[in-house]
Structures are given as C-alpha cells and as structure tokens.
Amino acid sequence: MEKLAITMADFEKAAKLVQPSSKREGFSSIPNVKWEDVGGLDDIRDEFDLYIISRIKYPDDYQKFGVNLETGILLYGPPGCGKTMIAKAAANEAGANFIHVKGPELLNKYVGESELAVRTLFSRARTCSPCIIFFDEVDALTTMRGKEGGWVVERLLNQLLIELDGADQRPGIFIIGATNRPEVMDPAVLRPGRFGKLIHVPLPSSEDRGLILKALAKGKPIDPSVDLAAIGQMEACKNFSGADLRKLMEEAAMTALKEAKRQRHLNETSGTITATQNEPSVNITATHFEQALGKISPSVSEKQIQYYKAWSESFKAT
Ligand code: ADP
C-alpha cells in the first residue's frame, strides 16, 4: 500500500494556495505604453488596429459587414523587437485590460494546478472584458512535450486549447502569444480559431531604427544638431534590435551625464558656479552616440536573422 506522508512540498503548495494573489498572477490593468512610444512597425500596427483595436472600439462595424476575424494572434521573431511593447500599446489604445502571463510560470509543477490556473485566467479575463491576455514565451507551453514532466504540459495545453476554442463565449477577449522560437510550437496551437493569425516581428529596417531612436529620445536632452534618422541608417547600427537601440540611447545618455558631471566638478573647483552653471549644460550630442556605438553590438546574430526569415517564408508557403 502507498504510504501517506505530509511532505515539505505539500506545505509549500498549501502556502501558495492561501496567499492572496500575492504574485499578482493574472493581475489586469490598462498598460501605460502608448503608440507614440513604439517606433516603426507600421504594418503591424495596422494589423493590430484591424484585428483588435477597432474591433473593441467599433464592434457594430464588424457586425454590419459580417467580418469575423481571428481573436488569437501569435507574434514571432527575434527577442527585443517590440512584441511585448506593441501588445501593450494595442491594449492602451483600445482601452482594454491587459493580463501578462509568462509561459513558464503557468507550468506549475503541481498536478492539476496549471489547468486550474488556465481556467482562472480566462474567467478573470471574462470579468474584465475588453481584455487582452498576453502569453509571453508561449512556446514554453509546448516544448517539454515528450520529456520529463511533459504530461503536465500536455494537460495544460489541452486546457488552453479548450479555452482558446471557446472564442464565442468570450466576446471582447483577445489572445496574443509571443515567441522567439516558433519552430517548437505545437502546430495544434496555431490552427484557425486558436493562435490563428501569425505575425512576424522582424528586426527593424534602417528607417525604423531612426523612428525607434526618436521614440526612445522622448524626454531626453538630445542636442538639436543630432540627426537620429541618420544614426539609424549607420552601418554601425546594422542588425540592431529595438532593445539594442534602447541600450545605445541609454549609453549615449550616460556618456553625456558623465560629461555634465565633469563639467560641474570643474565649475565647482574653479569657483565659477552661478545658478545657471549649476544646471547641467551638456546635451546628448552626436559624439556621445558615436562613443556609445563603440560599446554596443547587435544581440541577434546573422544566423538567427536568417532562421526567422526562412521560418516566415516557409509559413507563407504553406
Ligand atoms: P520582445 O517582446 O520582442 O522581446 P520588447 O517589446 O520587450 O521585445 O522590447 C524590449 C525593449 O526594447 C522595450 O522595452 C523597448 O525599450 C525597446 N524596443 C523594442 N522595440 C521597440 C520599438 N519598436 N520602439 C521603441 N522601443 C522598442
């Protein structure tokens, strides 16, 4: 006969269950990312407008024209290219609540809880419609299949499919998945009615890099002589993701700050401080960007770029 004993794991499990949602799991609110914070990605914005924003704002139009679109979108592409940002901006623009779910977090090792978590997630979304559920690293829900613990994934995935298939029962609820590894996604998840609309979020073009830099420059003392569009076109920015461009902007700002500090120190030691000199007089200049460029290199490799391109082509071909 199997021996029954209370283990440490049971205590941990009980403690987790009685914690009043302390991890903010499934916590929803309207995100504060705005469209103007997102640089470039115009085509993807248009898709989001058609598939989500206008649908939430003007549902009657869709009904009138009898247009029935997918409610699940999968964003795929290299990391740091704005998948999360655009999903949040879409929710902000639509005035929709946003539930951010990290794929791996849903994979609770305690049997049954993951399924419950999925059910709870969708019922919470129903209570705060219009709502976007964003599954970050959604591939994690399928990659472990066949490996140790794979059956937990399988049960969770089945529950997820049940919820996804019930689109009719959740008006005003949209599902967005994001993945850097589309090839490991279970094809069952990508069928129509589930994550039926696939959108590639590629590395920004040279023009988009300029637009991203402009979006990132908001609120920063960029010298008027700096041409951000021209910086975006530079060979040194080739293959930069949005996240790399953010690093570039941060590094340039840091270099300028250091210079401002040095200048302040000089003023103080020479005893020539006036009220205005006490204010940092240094703006972020092209030289600061040049110095920053020497320190930053693309985080996505050429091989990865080719892989995403090939995947997106093969998807178009099927
Ligand atoms: P992903 O979800 O594709 O991994 P994120 O949306 O989390 O990427 O982007 C990471 C960070 O990079 C953002 O917080 C932002 O600072 C910057 N970033 C990425 N893409 C853009 C963009 N198109 N416009 C402005 N900033 C961007």
Side-chain angles (χ1 to χ4, degrees), residues 131-149:
C131 180
I132 291 176
I133 307 181
F134 180 68
F135 287 95
D136 206 356
E137 297 180 60
V138 66
D139 50 88
L141 306 179
T142 65
T143 43
M144 280 171 66
R145 271 193 169 198
K147 294 190 186 149
E148 197 193 334

PDB file of all heavy atoms in Angstrom, residues 131-149:
ATOM      1  N   CYS A 131     -10.469  42.800 -22.872  1.00  0.00           N
ATOM      2  CA  CYS A 131      -9.235  42.371 -22.228  1.00  0.00           C
ATOM      3  C   CYS A 131      -8.329  41.644 -23.227  1.00  0.00           C
ATOM      4  O   CYS A 131      -8.809  40.921 -24.102  1.00  0.00           O
ATOM      5  CB  CYS A 131      -9.624  41.440 -21.081  1.00  0.00           C
ATOM      6  SG  CYS A 131      -8.238  40.801 -20.169  1.00  0.00           S
ATOM      7  N   ILE A 132      -7.033  41.877 -23.074  1.00  0.00           N
ATOM      8  CA  ILE A 132      -6.050  41.140 -23.878  1.00  0.00           C
ATOM      9  C   ILE A 132      -5.261  40.245 -22.933  1.00  0.00           C
ATOM     10  O   ILE A 132      -4.728  40.717 -21.926  1.00  0.00           O
ATOM     11  CB  ILE A 132      -5.093  42.112 -24.603  1.00  0.00           C
ATOM     12  CG1 ILE A 132      -5.850  42.882 -25.688  1.00  0.00           C
ATOM     13  CG2 ILE A 132      -3.903  41.359 -25.204  1.00  0.00           C
ATOM     14  CD1 ILE A 132      -5.033  43.943 -26.400  1.00  0.00           C
ATOM     15  N   ILE A 133      -5.225  38.955 -23.246  1.00  0.00           N
ATOM     16  CA  ILE A 133      -4.345  38.066 -22.473  1.00  0.00           C
ATOM     17  C   ILE A 133      -3.074  37.901 -23.302  1.00  0.00           C
ATOM     18  O   ILE A 133      -3.132  37.481 -24.463  1.00  0.00           O
ATOM     19  CB  ILE A 133      -4.961  36.681 -22.221  1.00  0.00           C
ATOM     20  CG1 ILE A 133      -6.356  36.790 -21.592  1.00  0.00           C
ATOM     21  CG2 ILE A 133      -4.050  35.850 -21.311  1.00  0.00           C
ATOM     22  CD1 ILE A 133      -7.014  35.437 -21.305  1.00  0.00           C
ATOM     23  N   PHE A 134      -1.952  38.260 -22.693  1.00  0.00           N
ATOM     24  CA  PHE A 134      -0.678  38.183 -23.414  1.00  0.00           C
ATOM     25  C   PHE A 134       0.159  37.034 -22.850  1.00  0.00           C
ATOM     26  O   PHE A 134       0.547  37.046 -21.680  1.00  0.00           O
ATOM     27  CB  PHE A 134       0.067  39.514 -23.251  1.00  0.00           C
ATOM     28  CG  PHE A 134       1.401  39.545 -23.947  1.00  0.00           C
ATOM     29  CD1 PHE A 134       1.483  39.531 -25.332  1.00  0.00           C
ATOM     30  CD2 PHE A 134       2.582  39.602 -23.225  1.00  0.00           C
ATOM     31  CE1 PHE A 134       2.720  39.573 -25.985  1.00  0.00           C
ATOM     32  CE2 PHE A 134       3.826  39.637 -23.861  1.00  0.00           C
ATOM     33  CZ  PHE A 134       3.883  39.618 -25.243  1.00  0.00           C
ATOM     34  N   PHE A 135       0.415  36.043 -23.685  1.00  0.00           N
ATOM     35  CA  PHE A 135       1.241  34.904 -23.274  1.00  0.00           C
ATOM     36  C   PHE A 135       2.659  35.119 -23.793  1.00  0.00           C
ATOM     37  O   PHE A 135       2.927  34.962 -24.979  1.00  0.00           O
ATOM     38  CB  PHE A 135       0.720  33.599 -23.876  1.00  0.00           C
ATOM     39  CG  PHE A 135      -0.540  33.092 -23.249  1.00  0.00           C
ATOM     40  CD1 PHE A 135      -1.774  33.403 -23.805  1.00  0.00           C
ATOM     41  CD2 PHE A 135      -0.501  32.298 -22.121  1.00  0.00           C
ATOM     42  CE1 PHE A 135      -2.946  32.927 -23.234  1.00  0.00           C
ATOM     43  CE2 PHE A 135      -1.665  31.817 -21.540  1.00  0.00           C
ATOM     44  CZ  PHE A 135      -2.892  32.143 -22.091  1.00  0.00           C
ATOM     45  N   ASP A 136       3.541  35.511 -22.857  1.00  0.00           N
ATOM     46  CA  ASP A 136       4.942  35.701 -23.203  1.00  0.00           C
ATOM     47  C   ASP A 136       5.608  34.326 -23.194  1.00  0.00           C
ATOM     48  O   ASP A 136       5.211  33.476 -22.397  1.00  0.00           O
ATOM     49  CB  ASP A 136       5.552  36.568 -22.096  1.00  0.00           C
ATOM     50  CG  ASP A 136       6.724  37.351 -22.580  1.00  0.00           C
ATOM     51  OD1 ASP A 136       7.096  37.169 -23.737  1.00  0.00           O
ATOM     52  OD2 ASP A 136       7.254  38.146 -21.786  1.00  0.00           O
ATOM     53  N   GLU A 137       6.581  34.108 -24.056  1.00  0.00           N
ATOM     54  CA  GLU A 137       7.258  32.806 -24.140  1.00  0.00           C
ATOM     55  C   GLU A 137       6.244  31.672 -24.212  1.00  0.00           C
ATOM     56  O   GLU A 137       6.331  30.685 -23.486  1.00  0.00           O
ATOM     57  CB  GLU A 137       8.183  32.593 -22.932  1.00  0.00           C
ATOM     58  CG  GLU A 137       9.306  33.597 -22.843  1.00  0.00           C
ATOM     59  CD  GLU A 137      10.178  33.342 -21.622  1.00  0.00           C
ATOM     60  OE1 GLU A 137      10.748  32.255 -21.534  1.00  0.00           O
ATOM     61  OE2 GLU A 137      10.262  34.234 -20.759  1.00  0.00           O
ATOM     62  N   VAL A 138       5.277  31.855 -25.086  1.00  0.00           N
ATOM     63  CA  VAL A 138       4.182  30.884 -25.176  1.00  0.00           C
ATOM     64  C   VAL A 138       4.701  29.501 -25.598  1.00  0.00           C
ATOM     65  O   VAL A 138       4.092  28.472 -25.295  1.00  0.00           O
ATOM     66  CB  VAL A 138       3.066  31.418 -26.119  1.00  0.00           C
ATOM     67  CG1 VAL A 138       3.537  31.517 -27.550  1.00  0.00           C
ATOM     68  CG2 VAL A 138       1.795  30.608 -26.015  1.00  0.00           C
ATOM     69  N   ASP A 139       5.879  29.475 -26.260  1.00  0.00           N
ATOM     70  CA  ASP A 139       6.460  28.194 -26.684  1.00  0.00           C
ATOM     71  C   ASP A 139       6.743  27.267 -25.507  1.00  0.00           C
ATOM     72  O   ASP A 139       6.731  26.045 -25.653  1.00  0.00           O
ATOM     73  CB  ASP A 139       7.744  28.434 -27.480  1.00  0.00           C
ATOM     74  CG  ASP A 139       8.684  29.376 -26.748  1.00  0.00           C
ATOM     75  OD1 ASP A 139       9.484  28.888 -25.953  1.00  0.00           O
ATOM     76  OD2 ASP A 139       8.598  30.599 -26.953  1.00  0.00           O
ATOM     77  N   ALA A 140       6.964  27.859 -24.333  1.00  0.00           N
ATOM     78  CA  ALA A 140       7.272  27.029 -23.156  1.00  0.00           C
ATOM     79  C   ALA A 140       6.138  26.060 -22.849  1.00  0.00           C
ATOM     80  O   ALA A 140       6.339  25.028 -22.213  1.00  0.00           O
ATOM     81  CB  ALA A 140       7.527  27.912 -21.947  1.00  0.00           C
ATOM     82  N   LEU A 141       4.950  26.395 -23.313  1.00  0.00           N
ATOM     83  CA  LEU A 141       3.801  25.529 -23.023  1.00  0.00           C
ATOM     84  C   LEU A 141       3.788  24.297 -23.902  1.00  0.00           C
ATOM     85  O   LEU A 141       2.970  23.412 -23.709  1.00  0.00           O
ATOM     86  CB  LEU A 141       2.496  26.310 -23.207  1.00  0.00           C
ATOM     87  CG  LEU A 141       2.411  27.618 -22.414  1.00  0.00           C
ATOM     88  CD1 LEU A 141       1.107  28.329 -22.675  1.00  0.00           C
ATOM     89  CD2 LEU A 141       2.564  27.335 -20.925  1.00  0.00           C
ATOM     90  N   THR A 142       4.684  24.244 -24.881  1.00  0.00           N
ATOM     91  CA  THR A 142       4.686  23.057 -25.734  1.00  0.00           C
ATOM     92  C   THR A 142       6.057  22.388 -25.849  1.00  0.00           C
ATOM     93  O   THR A 142       6.139  21.261 -26.297  1.00  0.00           O
ATOM     94  CB  THR A 142       4.204  23.387 -27.175  1.00  0.00           C
ATOM     95  OG1 THR A 142       5.156  24.265 -27.764  1.00  0.00           O
ATOM     96  CG2 THR A 142       2.851  24.033 -27.202  1.00  0.00           C
ATOM     97  N   THR A 143       7.111  23.050 -25.430  1.00  0.00           N
ATOM     98  CA  THR A 143       8.438  22.494 -25.698  1.00  0.00           C
ATOM     99  C   THR A 143       8.763  21.245 -24.890  1.00  0.00           C
ATOM    100  O   THR A 143       9.599  20.464 -25.284  1.00  0.00           O
ATOM    101  CB  THR A 143       9.558  23.518 -25.414  1.00  0.00           C
ATOM    102  OG1 THR A 143       9.244  24.157 -24.195  1.00  0.00           O
ATOM    103  CG2 THR A 143       9.706  24.498 -26.532  1.00  0.00           C
ATOM    104  N   MET A 144       8.121  21.105 -23.746  1.00  0.00           N
ATOM    105  CA  MET A 144       8.518  19.985 -22.890  1.00  0.00           C
ATOM    106  C   MET A 144       7.821  18.673 -23.247  1.00  0.00           C
ATOM    107  O   MET A 144       8.022  17.680 -22.592  1.00  0.00           O
ATOM    108  CB  MET A 144       8.249  20.326 -21.422  1.00  0.00           C
ATOM    109  CG  MET A 144       9.348  21.200 -20.834  1.00  0.00           C
ATOM    110  SD  MET A 144       8.875  21.784 -19.223  1.00  0.00           S
ATOM    111  CE  MET A 144       8.845  20.251 -18.298  1.00  0.00           C
ATOM    112  N   ARG A 145       7.007  18.730 -24.243  1.00  0.00           N
ATOM    113  CA  ARG A 145       6.299  17.512 -24.639  1.00  0.00           C
ATOM    114  C   ARG A 145       7.263  16.352 -24.853  1.00  0.00           C
ATOM    115  O   ARG A 145       8.291  16.515 -25.501  1.00  0.00           O
ATOM    116  CB  ARG A 145       5.538  17.737 -25.946  1.00  0.00           C
ATOM    117  CG  ARG A 145       4.163  18.248 -25.704  1.00  0.00           C
ATOM    118  CD  ARG A 145       3.361  18.158 -26.946  1.00  0.00           C
ATOM    119  NE  ARG A 145       1.972  18.420 -26.610  1.00  0.00           N
ATOM    120  CZ  ARG A 145       0.964  18.092 -27.390  1.00  0.00           C
ATOM    121  NH1 ARG A 145       1.165  17.496 -28.525  1.00  0.00           N
ATOM    122  NH2 ARG A 145      -0.256  18.365 -27.013  1.00  0.00           N
ATOM    123  N   GLY A 146       6.892  15.234 -24.312  1.00  0.00           N
ATOM    124  CA  GLY A 146       7.711  14.049 -24.536  1.00  0.00           C
ATOM    125  C   GLY A 146       8.884  13.949 -23.572  1.00  0.00           C
ATOM    126  O   GLY A 146       9.496  12.911 -23.443  1.00  0.00           O
ATOM    127  N   LYS A 147       9.198  15.057 -22.885  1.00  0.00           N
ATOM    128  CA  LYS A 147      10.309  14.999 -21.939  1.00  0.00           C
ATOM    129  C   LYS A 147       9.729  14.785 -20.545  1.00  0.00           C
ATOM    130  O   LYS A 147       8.515  14.716 -20.366  1.00  0.00           O
ATOM    131  CB  LYS A 147      11.088  16.307 -21.963  1.00  0.00           C
ATOM    132  CG  LYS A 147      11.790  16.546 -23.265  1.00  0.00           C
ATOM    133  CD  LYS A 147      12.725  17.710 -23.130  1.00  0.00           C
ATOM    134  CE  LYS A 147      13.317  18.052 -24.486  1.00  0.00           C
ATOM    135  NZ  LYS A 147      13.614  19.425 -24.623  1.00  0.00           N
ATOM    136  N   GLU A 148      10.639  14.753 -19.580  1.00  0.00           N
ATOM    137  CA  GLU A 148      10.160  14.580 -18.202  1.00  0.00           C
ATOM    138  C   GLU A 148       9.242  15.746 -17.851  1.00  0.00           C
ATOM    139  O   GLU A 148       9.546  16.909 -18.123  1.00  0.00           O
ATOM    140  CB  GLU A 148      11.364  14.594 -17.256  1.00  0.00           C
ATOM    141  CG  GLU A 148      11.026  14.033 -15.895  1.00  0.00           C
ATOM    142  CD  GLU A 148      12.121  14.345 -14.886  1.00  0.00           C
ATOM    143  OE1 GLU A 148      13.271  14.531 -15.305  1.00  0.00           O
ATOM    144  OE2 GLU A 148      11.787  14.385 -13.711  1.00  0.00           O
ATOM    145  N   GLY A 149       8.088  15.430 -17.276  1.00  0.00           N
ATOM    146  CA  GLY A 149       7.147  16.499 -16.937  1.00  0.00           C
ATOM    147  C   GLY A 149       6.275  16.880 -18.117  1.00  0.00           C
ATOM    148  O   GLY A 149       5.433  17.757 -18.023  1.00  0.00           O
TER     149      GLY A 149
END
